[in-house]
Amino acid sequence: MEEQQNEKMSPKARWIIGGIVTICLAVLIVVAIQLNKKQEPEVATEATQDKKEKTADEQIGSDLEKALSELKKDKSSDDKKTDSKDKTTATKSSDPFAYLFNPSKSEDPLTFLSIDPTELPDVPEPVVSKTDDVAGVQDGKTPNGPVAVLPTDKITDLPTVPSLPTSDDPTLPSDAVDERDGDDKVPTDVPGTVIPPAGNQDNVDNQDKGDIGTPDENTTPPDENTTPPDENTTPPDENTTPPDENTTPPDENTTPPDENTTPPDENTTPPDENTTPPDENTTPPDENTTPPDEKPIGNVSIALPEKTYDRLLSYKKQQQVYNALYYGNKEDLKDQEVVSLLNEMLRNYNNASNTDITARQLIQSLNQSQLNDEQARLYNAQLTKLKEEIEKVTREEYVDVYVIKEGSSKDQLYYAGTFKDLLNGNKDELEKAKNSEMALADQKASEAAENLKNNKLDELQRKANQKALIEAINSYQLIANYSTEADNEAEAKRNEALRILSESVEVSDEPEIENNDTTKVETDDDNKTESKVDDQKEIKKSLNQLMEEGEYIQVLQQASAYVEKYPELEDTIKEASEKLLEQSIKDIKSNNAYTDKDTKKYLSQSYAALTGLSTVPSEISKKAQDEFYGYRLVMQAEKLIDEDPTQAVIFAHEGYKRQETDGAKDVLQKANTALSEKAVGMEQEQAERAYEILTVTAKDVNEDIAQTAVDRKTAYGYVAAGEKQYNAGKTEEAIAYGSEANRLYPEKNLGGALVEKAANRLLDEAEQKELTAQIETYNLIVNVKGLDESIKTQAESRKTVIDILDRVNTLEKQEQNVEERTQQVLYYLDEAVGAAENTGWSDEEKAKIQQRYDAHVSSMLEQAQTWSTGSEEEKVKAATYYKAIVEIGKNAGEETVANAKEALTELGYK
C-alpha cells in the first residue's frame, strides 16, 4: 500500500510537506534551547532584562532566517541532483526528507536533520517567566517580539516518535491514491496529512497549534520561492530511483496530532470523483483465493475405479476363467501382475481337444504381451502353442466330419498329402480317393494331349485343352504327395502331361541360329549361295579354326552342309556337338543364364542346333533335350508370369526341381507371389486349385506363401462346413466355422455372411432366456472374427451390462472399505447405464438398469446427508460422496449433480 501511495505522490507535494516539517522542527529546537536557559537565576536588573529580551527576540528572528536559508540551500542542492538525472539513492545530507519516504534507511526518525544541537551558535539567554509558557514576554508585560506558543506538554516527548498503528488489512484505502495524471497535482489525501472537514475549523486550529506552532508572518512559504520539481526536473519514474524504493511515506514518521486532533479516518477529504477505486486495478480476492470459510475441493479425494488385477483376481477365485482372460486381454498387457495371472489362467485350457467352441474363439482372440520379462515370455509361448493346438484340433474335426465322410476325393488327397498325421485311421477312404482321382486325371490328360496335337485348334480350344491338362497335372501332383510308393506312377504321368503342356505353349519367338557359314558366299541370283571353296582340306582347315575359337554352333552348321559330300566330317559334327552340349550345361547352371541377355540368346541357339540339326547324333540330341528341359521351363515361366501365373508356377517349379539354381529359384519366387496375389480375385474353383498348386510349389522356397495357401484353401472348406451346420440348426458350430474361415482368410472375409446370420439367430434366441443365462451366447459372439461391428457391439454391450451387475453384486457383499467400494460400484453402474444404450434391449430392460443406478446414487446421497451433520471426519466423507456423484455420475441427471454441488458448497467447499 505504501509503495502505491508513494508512486502517486508528486515531487511538489513532497517538497511542501518536507519544508513545513523542517521549519517546525527548527523552531522547536530553538525554543527548547530557550527553555533550557530558563532554569538559571534571574540576577539582571530591569534595564539589563529589557536588553536581554530584545536580544533574545532578535536572536529568534535570526535563527528562523538561518533555518529558512538552510532549507533553500538543501532544496537547491536537490534540484541540481534532479536535473543531472542521478539515479542513485539520496543520502541523509543531500535529501533531508529521505526518512519520510523510506524509514528503513534510518533507525532514528530525527536523523534527517543536518543540524547538530551541540554546534549551534551561542544565543543570549532570554528571561522567561517560570509560570508562563510564552517565550520573549516578561511577567506581566507585553511581548516585545515574535511570540511562539510552546507545547510544553509535548517537549518531553520530542525525541520519541510513536509508530503508526498496524493494520491487518492489506487493501489500500480508497482515498490514498489519486490516479489522475500530472506531476503538478498535490494530493490532499496522503496518509498523515489531516484535511479539515467542513464546519470543523476549530479542531484544525488546535491541531496546528499543538503540532508546529505559528510561523512568523514574514516567513516566505517554500512553494513560492522554489521552482516546482515538475518544471525543471525529469519525472522521478524515468531518471531517479522510484520513491517506493528509497523514500519513506510521511505518515510513518510525523508527530501524531494532539488530543484535539480529529482522527484522519474520520475527517479526511473524500477521494476525488476521478480517482480510480482500488478494486478496479486489483484482482478481487475471491477470484484467486479461497475465502477463509471455504475449503478447496481438491483436498477431497474420491476413489479410483477398481484395478483390473483386482477384478481378475476375483474372477479367478470365482472360477470364472473366461472373464479373467477376456477382461485381462482388453488391457495393453503391460502389467506384469495381469500377464502373470493370465498365464496361470491359460493352464485351464491345456487340453485343446476338451476345450469348447467358446473358449477356442476366446484363445484365438488373445494378444501377445509386449513385456520383455520371464512371465511375458512364458505367457506368449504358452499362448502360441495353445493356438496351434486348437487350430490342429479344429482341422482334424473338420477333416473327420466333413472331408473324409462328405468331401471330394481331391480334397481328401490334399489334406492327406499336406498333413501326414491325418492318415491314421483313414487309409481305406484315402485309397479309394486316390484311385478315383487317378482315373479322372488320366481321362483329362489323354483327351487334352490328343487335342493339342491337332494344329487346327483355335485359340479358345487350345486354352480349354491346356486348362484340362493343368487340372490333370494338379491331380497327379496331389496323388504323388499322398503316395508313399517308391516308384510313383502319378509322378511319371505328371511329368508326361507337363511336357505336353510345355510343348503346346506358344511364347515369344526364340532367336534363330545365325548363319555364319564362312565356306559359302552369296551370288547375285536370288540371294543364292555357293561354296566359297570346294576343297576338303580347306573346309577341314576352316572348321578346325572355328573349333579352336569355340564357335561350336558354326562348326555344326558348316559341317552339316558338307557331311553328305565328305562323310568323314561326321566326326567333326560329333565332337562339336559334345563340346557345345558341355558348354551349354555349364552356362545353364550359371546365374547369367537367367539374367544376361546374350547368354540367354546363346543358350537358345545352342538348343536349336543340338535338337534341330539332323546330323547331330541322336543320343546327344536326346541328352540335350533332357538337360535343357528344366532351363527351358523356367524360361517359359518367366514369360508367362503376367499372362498366366498358374502355368508359370507349374513350369518354374518343375524347372527349379531339375536345376536348383539361384536363378531358377528367383523366377519361381516371382511366379508364386504373382499367383498368390491374383488368386484373391479368382472364383472359388480357380482359387482353390491355385492354392492347391501353391501348397506344393511354394513349400521349398517360401514357407509364408505355402502356409497362406493352406490357410486359404482350408478357409473355403470351413465356410462350406459352416453352411451345412447352419442349415442343420447347429448355429454355434456354424458361427465357429465362419469365424475360423475369416481368421484364416481375412482379406476375403469368406465367412462374413455366415457369421452375420448365425449371430442374429443367436441374439434372437438369447433374448428368450434369463439375463444370466444369456451370457454364454454373448461370450461366443464377442470373439467372432469378421462379424459386422454393429452386431458385435450389441453383443459386447449386453455382456458388459450383465458382467457389471454380477460384479456389483459381489462388491456390495464386501464389508471392508465400504466407502471405496461404494464409489467403485458407482463407476461400474454408470458404465452399465451407458452400455445399455447399445444393447438393442427394450426400454423396459434399459429402465431396470437405470433404476438400479438411481437407487445406488440415492443411497449415497442419503448417507452423505447424514454425515453432513456429524463430526469433521464425517463431513469429509460426505464431501467425498458428493464429489463422486458430481465427477463420476455422468448418468445421474443434471438436477442430482446440481444438488450434490450445492451440498458441497454448504459444507464449505468451493
Side-chain angles (χ1 to χ4, degrees):
M1 179 180 70
E2 294 173 357
E3 294 176 359
Q4 294 177 357
Q5 185 176 357
N6 291 335
E7 289 174 357
K8 300 301 179 181
M9 183 178 294
S10 66
K12 186 175 183 180
R14 292 173 50 199
W15 282 109
I16 292 174
I17 294 171
I20 293 172
V21 173
T22 304
I23 294 171
C24 293
L25 291 177
V27 173
L28 288 175
I29 292 171
V30 173
V31 173
I33 296 172
Q34 298 295 331
L35 289 177
N36 187 43
K37 300 294 184 180
K38 184 178 179 182
Q39 304 299 328
E40 299 180 0
E42 300 178 2
V43 294
T45 61
E46 183 176 353
T48 304
Q49 184 69 24
D50 292 340
K51 182 179 180 180
K52 289 182 178 180
E53 289 176 357
K54 181 179 180 181
T55 304
D57 293 340
E58 292 174 354
Q59 185 64 39
I60 291 173
S62 176
D63 291 340
L64 290 175
E65 290 177 358
K66 289 181 178 181
L68 290 174
S69 177
E70 185 70 17
L71 174 63
K72 291 180 180 180
K73 291 180 180 180
D74 293 339
K75 184 178 183 304
S76 176
S77 176
D78 290 342
D79 289 343
K80 292 179 180 181
K81 292 180 179 295
T82 304
D83 292 339
S84 63
K85 301 181 182 180
D86 185 10
K87 296 183 180 180
T88 59
T89 304
T91 62
K92 295 178 184 178
S93 60
S94 62
D95 186 1
F97 314 113
Y99 181 77
L100 295 177
F101 301 98
N102 193 352
S104 64
K105 300 300 182 181
S106 175
E107 297 179 356
D108 186 353
L110 298 179
T111 55
F112 66 90
L113 293 175
S114 60
I115 302 174
D116 188 352
T118 62
E119 298 178 357
L120 290 174
D122 294 334
V123 180
E125 299 177 0
V127 178
V128 183
S129 173
K130 296 181 179 179
T131 58
D132 294 336
D133 294 333
V134 180
V137 179
Q138 191 177 5
D139 293 352
K141 299 295 181 72
T142 303
N144 295 325
V147 178
V149 180
L150 302 178
T152 57
D153 57 337
K154 300 298 181 178
I155 292 177
T156 57
D157 298 331
L158 186 59
T160 303
V161 179
S163 60
L164 293 177
T166 60
S167 174
D168 294 332
D169 186 3
T171 306
L172 189 66
S174 60
D175 59 346
V177 179
D178 192 337
E179 293 291 334
R180 287 177 293 178
D181 297 334
D183 294 335
D184 59 342
K185 182 182 182 305
V186 179
T188 59
D189 53 356
V190 178
T193 303
V194 181
I195 306 301
N200 196 18
Q201 187 64 32
D202 292 338
N203 289 339
V204 178
D205 293 339
N206 293 334
Q207 174 183 327
D208 291 342
K209 293 177 182 180
D211 282 347
I212 60 176
T214 303
D216 187 74
E217 295 178 357
N218 297 323
T219 302
T220 303
D223 59 348
E224 294 182 6
N225 296 318
T226 58
T227 303
D230 59 346
E231 295 180 4
N232 298 314
T233 60
T234 303
D237 58 349
E238 295 180 4
N239 297 297
T240 62
T241 304
D244 59 345
E245 295 180 5
N246 298 301
T247 59
T248 304
D251 59 348
E252 292 186 11
N253 297 289
T254 56
T255 304
D258 62 9
E259 297 176 357
N260 295 325
T261 303
T262 303
D265 58 348
E266 295 181 3
N267 297 298
T268 54
T269 302
D272 189 85
E273 295 179 358
N274 296 324
T275 302
T276 303
D279 58 356
E280 294 182 8
N281 296 320
T282 59
T283 303
D286 59 348
E287 292 183 7
N288 294 314
T289 59
T290 303
D293 58 346
E294 289 189 358
K295 293 163 283 187
I297 191 62
N299 293 342
V300 178
S301 300
I302 62 176
L304 297 174
E306 185 180 25
K307 290 183 179 180
T308 300
Y309 178 75
D310 293 338
R311 185 178 184 181
L312 301 184
L313 195 61
S314 176
Y315 285 141
K316 175 188 175 183
K317 294 177 181 178
Q318 296 173 321
Q319 296 299 312
Q320 296 184 23
V321 180
Y322 181 96
N323 277 349
L325 291 170
Y326 176 79
Y327 287 106
N329 187 62
K330 282 185 171 294
E331 298 297 316
D332 56 5
L333 295 179
K334 292 183 179 179
D335 189 320
Q336 293 181 343
E337 290 183 323
V338 170
V339 174
S340 178
L341 184 60
L342 293 182
N343 187 44
E344 183 178 351
M345 292 294 97
L346 272 182
R347 297 193 186 103
N348 291 275
Y349 299 121
N350 56 3
N351 190 341
S353 299
N354 296 332
T355 304
D356 59 30
I357 294 175
T358 302
R360 291 180 186 179
Q361 292 301 305
L362 169 65
I363 293 171
Q364 292 289 10
S365 300
L366 295 180
N367 300 319
Q368 296 274 328
S369 172
Q370 301 302 314
L371 292 177
N372 187 23
D373 57 19
E374 186 63 23
Q375 282 297 322
R377 286 190 286 272
L378 291 174
Y379 171 75
N380 292 340
Q382 184 179 193
L383 180 60
T384 300
K385 180 180 179 181
L386 193 54
K387 285 184 176 183
E388 292 175 353
E389 291 177 353
I390 290 176
E391 184 176 327
K392 178 181 178 181
V393 169
T394 303
R395 185 169 53 245
E396 288 176 348
E397 293 174 353
Y398 162 70
V399 171
D400 289 341
V401 176
Y402 299 101
V403 176
I404 298 300
K405 296 180 179 179
E406 302 176 10
S408 65
S409 58
K410 186 166 66 174
D411 284 346
Q412 292 174 354
L413 293 171
Y414 173 79
Y415 288 104
T418 304
F419 306 101
K420 302 297 184 182
D421 55 340
L422 298 181
L423 294 175
N424 300 330
N426 298 315
K427 189 170 182 62
D428 293 340
E429 288 81 359
L430 293 174
E431 283 296 320
K432 292 179 181 178
K434 169 189 171 182
N435 295 332
S436 174
E437 193 65 20
M438 181 76 83
L440 185 60
D442 288 345
Q443 182 180 355
K444 289 181 179 180
S446 178
E447 292 178 357
E450 187 66 28
N451 292 333
L452 288 173
K453 292 179 181 180
N454 188 353
N455 295 328
K456 296 181 180 181
L457 297 176
D458 58 24
E459 185 64 20
L460 291 178
Q461 291 174 331
R462 189 172 64 85
K463 289 288 186 183
N465 282 277
Q466 287 177 342
K467 180 181 177 181
L469 199 55
I470 289 174
E471 292 177 353
I473 292 171
N474 187 38
S475 295
Y476 289 138
Q477 183 66 61
L478 294 176
I479 297 171
N481 288 344
Y482 159 73
S483 178
T484 57
E485 299 176 3
D487 184 14
N488 197 320
E489 181 184 3
E491 182 70 20
K493 291 182 177 181
R494 172 187 171 279
N495 292 338
E496 181 61 27
L498 185 58
R499 187 181 292 275
I500 296 172
L501 177 65
S502 174
E503 293 174 353
S504 69
V505 173
E506 295 181 1
V507 294
S508 59
D509 295 337
E510 297 179 354
E512 297 180 355
I513 302 175
E514 297 180 358
N515 186 3
N516 294 322
D517 190 352
T518 58
T519 63
K520 294 183 178 181
V521 295
E522 293 184 0
T523 63
D524 295 333
D525 300 333
D526 299 329
N527 294 328
K528 292 182 179 180
T529 61
E530 61 181 15
S531 299
K532 186 184 211 179
V533 293
D534 195 13
D535 186 280
Q536 183 177 2
K537 291 182 180 180
E538 290 295 329
I539 294 174
K540 185 65 173 176
K541 181 180 178 181
S542 176
L543 293 176
N544 289 337
Q545 183 178 354
L546 292 174
M547 287 284 286
E548 292 177 359
E549 295 174 356
E551 300 291 341
Y552 305 122
I553 296 177
Q554 294 186 32
V555 171
L556 290 176
Q557 288 178 309
Q558 296 180 16
S560 296
Y562 292 100
V563 69
E564 292 183 2
K565 186 175 183 180
Y566 305 110
E568 56 271 19
L569 292 179
E570 290 180 358
D571 295 335
T572 302
I573 293 175
K574 182 179 180 182
E575 182 184 0
S577 299
E578 290 175 347
K579 289 187 176 182
L580 179 59
L581 180 59
E582 182 181 355
Q583 180 63 43
S584 297
I585 294 173
K586 183 179 179 180
D587 290 340
I588 287 173
K589 293 180 180 180
S590 69
N591 286 331
N592 288 338
Y594 305 91
T595 59
D596 185 67
K597 183 177 179 180
D598 293 336
T599 303
K600 289 181 179 181
K601 180 179 179 181
Y602 175 77
L603 288 173
S604 179
Q605 292 179 341
S606 297
Y607 179 77
L610 291 171
T611 60
L613 294 175
S614 58
T615 56
V616 176
S618 59
E619 64 275 12
I620 295 177
S621 180
K622 188 175 185 319
K623 185 177 180 180
Q625 290 180 353
D626 293 338
E627 293 293 341
F628 272 88
Y629 180 62
Y631 174 74
R632 285 174 54 78
L633 287 176
V634 174
M635 290 296 98
Q636 282 183 303
E638 189 176 41
K639 297 172 183 177
L640 290 170
I641 287 177
D642 296 330
E643 179 184 347
D644 191 342
T646 301
Q647 289 190 48
V649 164
I650 294 174
F651 291 160
H653 179 252
E654 184 64 23
Y656 176 69
K657 283 171 57 179
R658 292 174 176 270
Q659 301 293 330
E660 293 189 355
T661 60
D662 292 339
K665 182 178 181 180
D666 291 341
V667 174
L668 178 58
Q669 286 273 41
K670 293 178 183 178
N672 285 330
T673 302
L675 180 58
S676 180
E677 293 174 352
K678 193 170 184 178
V680 177
M682 293 180 178
E683 296 296 330
Q684 181 174 344
E685 181 181 357
Q686 289 181 313
E688 285 196 66
R689 186 187 65 194
Y691 294 133
E692 291 166 358
I693 294 173
L694 286 170
T695 301
V696 176
T697 60
K699 184 176 181 180
D700 297 330
V701 294
N702 194 319
E703 281 292 338
D704 291 338
I705 293 179
Q707 186 60 51
T708 298
V710 173
D711 291 344
R712 293 178 178 179
K713 165 65 179 176
T714 305
Y716 279 108
Y718 283 173
V719 172
E723 290 289 351
K724 292 179 181 179
Q725 293 284 46
Y726 181 83
N727 295 333
K730 298 180 179 180
T731 313
E732 293 182 351
E733 288 82 352
I735 199 172
Y737 274 121
S739 177
E740 277 300 284
N742 291 333
R743 185 183 65 81
L744 293 174
Y745 200 171
E747 297 85 355
K748 199 82 168 180
N749 200 32
L750 291 176
L754 174 61
V755 297
E756 182 174 346
K757 62 183 180 181
N760 285 327
R761 179 190 286 181
L762 289 173
L763 289 174
D764 293 340
E765 293 174 352
E767 291 183 352
Q768 309 304 321
K769 304 176 183 178
E770 293 293 333
L771 196 62
T772 54
Q774 298 178 21
I775 196 65
E776 294 181 3
T777 298
Y778 304 140
N779 283 345
L780 174 61
I781 296 176
V782 293
N783 290 309
V784 169
K785 300 293 183 182
L787 182 62
D788 183 83
E789 283 300 320
S790 61
I791 301 175
K792 192 171 185 178
T793 299
Q794 191 178 84
E796 288 177 340
S797 299
R798 293 184 181 184
K799 173 177 171 57
T800 298
V801 172
I802 295 173
D803 288 341
I804 283 178
L805 295 179
D806 179 69
R807 185 65 188 143
V808 166
N809 291 336
T810 301
L811 289 175
E812 288 181 341
K813 293 177 183 178
Q814 297 178 3
E815 298 180 356
Q816 297 83 10
N817 303 323
V818 176
E819 291 82 7
E820 180 183 15
R821 180 259 300 159
T822 301
Q823 295 173 66
Q824 290 175 346
V825 167
L826 181 61
Y827 277 111
Y828 276 128
L829 290 177
D830 194 82
E831 182 183 354
V833 172
E837 296 299 321
N838 299 320
T839 57
W841 283 335
S842 64
D843 292 340
E844 182 180 358
E845 291 295 332
K846 295 178 183 178
K848 292 179 181 179
I849 311 301
Q850 183 68 49
Q851 290 171 4
R852 178 72 179 276
Y853 176 77
D854 294 340
H856 185 74
V857 173
S858 298
S859 175
M860 292 181 66
L861 290 173
E862 292 175 3
Q863 181 62 64
Q865 187 175 7
T866 301
W867 279 334
S868 298
T869 59
S871 63
E872 286 299 321
E873 182 180 356
E874 290 178 334
K875 288 181 180 179
V876 172
K877 292 182 179 180
T880 302
Y881 272 21
Y882 287 134
K883 184 179 180 182
I885 293 172
V886 171
E887 296 190 1
I888 304 172
K890 300 180 181 66
N891 296 287
E894 295 181 0
E895 183 177 358
T896 301
V897 173
N899 291 337
K901 290 182 178 180
E902 183 178 354
L904 280 171
T905 303
E906 293 175 356
L907 286 173
Y909 290 94
K910 182 179 178 181

